[in-house]
Amino acid sequence: MTTQDYAELRAQLATLTTEAFRPDLAEIDRLPTAEIARIMNGEDATVPAAVAERLPEIAAAIDATAARMAEGGRLIYAGAGTAGRLGVLDASECPPTFNTDPSEVIGLIAGGPSAMVKAVEGAEDSRQLAAEDLDGLRLTDRDTVVGISASGRTPYAIGAVEHARRLGALTIGLSCNAGSALAAAAEHGIEVVVGPELLTGSTRLKSGTAQKLVLNMISTITMIRLGKTYGNLMVDVRASNEKLRARSRRIVALATGADDAEIEAALAATDGEVKNAILVILGGVEGPTAARLLTESRGHLRAALHAAP
């Protein structure tokens, strides 16, 4: 970049709320640790209210995402730096929590997996890199791409949304500045304005918290809509360790009120599948019948119970 380019970028950053300097905190490094912690906690407490202001946009984006995923589409996050890491984190939590295949919810970070722990120079500035990453996934019009960027100006996130939209995929732009280019590029723009950061420009703080809260909503409520829960029970949990095996039995108990012997028999009859075991107990069916009913109901336990003989 030339000197002029840097001057223009500095001027652009100066207009962003997330980059604003706070003179009232200019002496923060001289305060006692407990006072800094109090201030930081107070700043963090403002984030949920900022998210609440965007609930209508968030809900609309979730409904559109769930509709696409119900038809076999995928949820794909794309971002750089902290935003990219948050997307990868949210995606990585879906298989153990909701028993999704790792290919169903995907996190893309500018610069690839190594960028999770070390910045990859120039990666976030490339729209083309985002397009190439999405092409590597063979994007379809049933997929949803969520571009994530605190500033709302990150080329990688904008490029991902623009490329996805050209291919007919659903697009969501999540940022923390009003009037962002990212929101403008997406069908569903979500702008959670949390204000200037405690440390000027450190958008892993309030902006990162806001993005995490919204991503929690997008993935969790989408999975609820897809039948991955029964009430507020995670009936699609993957029991991959002792803690999760114990949790599986507790979930079956909470859903059915059955005793330990009946729970163990139901889990044995369904190869440990929690949702199937609940259907065996509440629906009074055999394991294979439970599997068939759930397939016919597209994984929705309530619908399968209604269809049980």
Side-chain angles (χ1 to χ4, degrees):
M1 292 180 65
T2 66
T3 302
Q4 180 61 31
D5 290 333
Y6 281 116
E8 291 176 0
L9 180 56
R10 284 178 59 193
Q12 186 182 77
L13 292 176
T15 68
L16 301 178
T17 302
T18 51
E19 299 287 333
F21 172 66
R22 294 184 54 179
D24 58 311
L25 297 178
E27 302 287 321
I28 194 171
D29 58 322
R30 303 177 68 178
L31 297 176
T33 298
E35 178 63 9
I36 298 174
R38 185 194 65 77
I39 293 170
M40 189 170 182
N41 180 246
E43 292 290 306
D44 291 341
T46 67
V47 176
V51 173
E53 292 181 5
R54 302 274 71 86
L55 289 180
E57 294 97 319
I58 294 168
I62 291 169
D63 282 339
T65 300
R68 301 263 181 142
M69 290 195 77
E71 298 304 320
R74 299 167 294 177
L75 173 58
I76 302 165
Y77 299 125
T82 296
R85 294 182 190 102
L86 289 170
V88 171
L89 172 62
D90 197 75
S92 70
E93 293 285 359
C94 288
T97 305
F98 300 111
N99 202 17
T100 58
D101 187 275
S103 66
E104 291 182 70
V105 185
I106 301 168
L108 295 177
I109 182 169
S114 64
M116 287 292 293
V117 294
K118 183 179 180 181
V120 177
E121 186 173 356
E124 75 168 56
D125 297 323
S126 176
R127 279 177 161 85
Q128 182 59 34
L129 179 60
E132 291 172 0
D133 286 347
L134 288 174
D135 286 342
L137 297 176
R138 298 184 182 275
L139 201 70
T140 76
D141 59 7
R142 292 177 298 175
D143 295 328
T144 298
V145 173
V146 183
I148 315 167
S149 165
S151 67
R153 61 161 297 281
T154 305
Y156 183 88
I158 296 171
V161 164
E162 290 175 339
H163 187 65
R165 197 164 185 178
R166 284 193 294 270
L167 295 176
L170 179 73
T171 55
I172 301 169
L174 172 58
S175 72
C176 294
N177 281 297
S180 68
L182 178 58
E187 293 169 71
H188 294 268
I190 303 171
E191 297 177 324
V192 183
V193 181
V194 295
E197 298 286 4
L198 181 85
L199 303 179
T200 302
S202 182
T203 52
R204 72 181 188 86
L205 300 177
K206 288 190 298 182
S207 296
T209 301
Q211 290 165 24
K212 182 66 170 69
L213 292 177
V214 175
L215 296 182
N216 282 350
M217 288 184 180
I218 291 174
S219 59
T220 301
I221 301 175
T222 294
M223 294 302 160
I224 291 173
R225 289 284 167 258
L226 293 176
K228 295 288 188 178
T229 67
Y230 179 63
N232 64 340
L233 297 174
M234 299 188 303
V235 291
D236 261 335
V237 64
R238 179 177 295 168
S240 57
N241 58 44
E242 291 302 324
K243 181 189 76 173
L244 292 178
R245 278 187 279 276
R247 180 178 290 166
S248 295
R249 283 151 177 79
R250 184 168 184 268
I251 288 172
V252 176
L254 288 170
T256 66
D259 60 30
D260 289 348
E262 190 175 8
I263 291 169
E264 291 300 329
L267 286 169
T270 57
D271 294 325
E273 293 289 342
V274 171
K275 185 185 289 183
N276 300 47
I278 293 170
L279 183 52
V280 164
I281 295 171
L282 295 183
V285 299
E286 299 296 324
T289 302
R292 175 179 59 80
L293 290 172
L294 283 166
T295 297
E296 292 172 354
S297 68
R298 305 180 77 174
H300 289 260
L301 180 53
R302 290 191 189 279
L305 283 166
H306 182 74

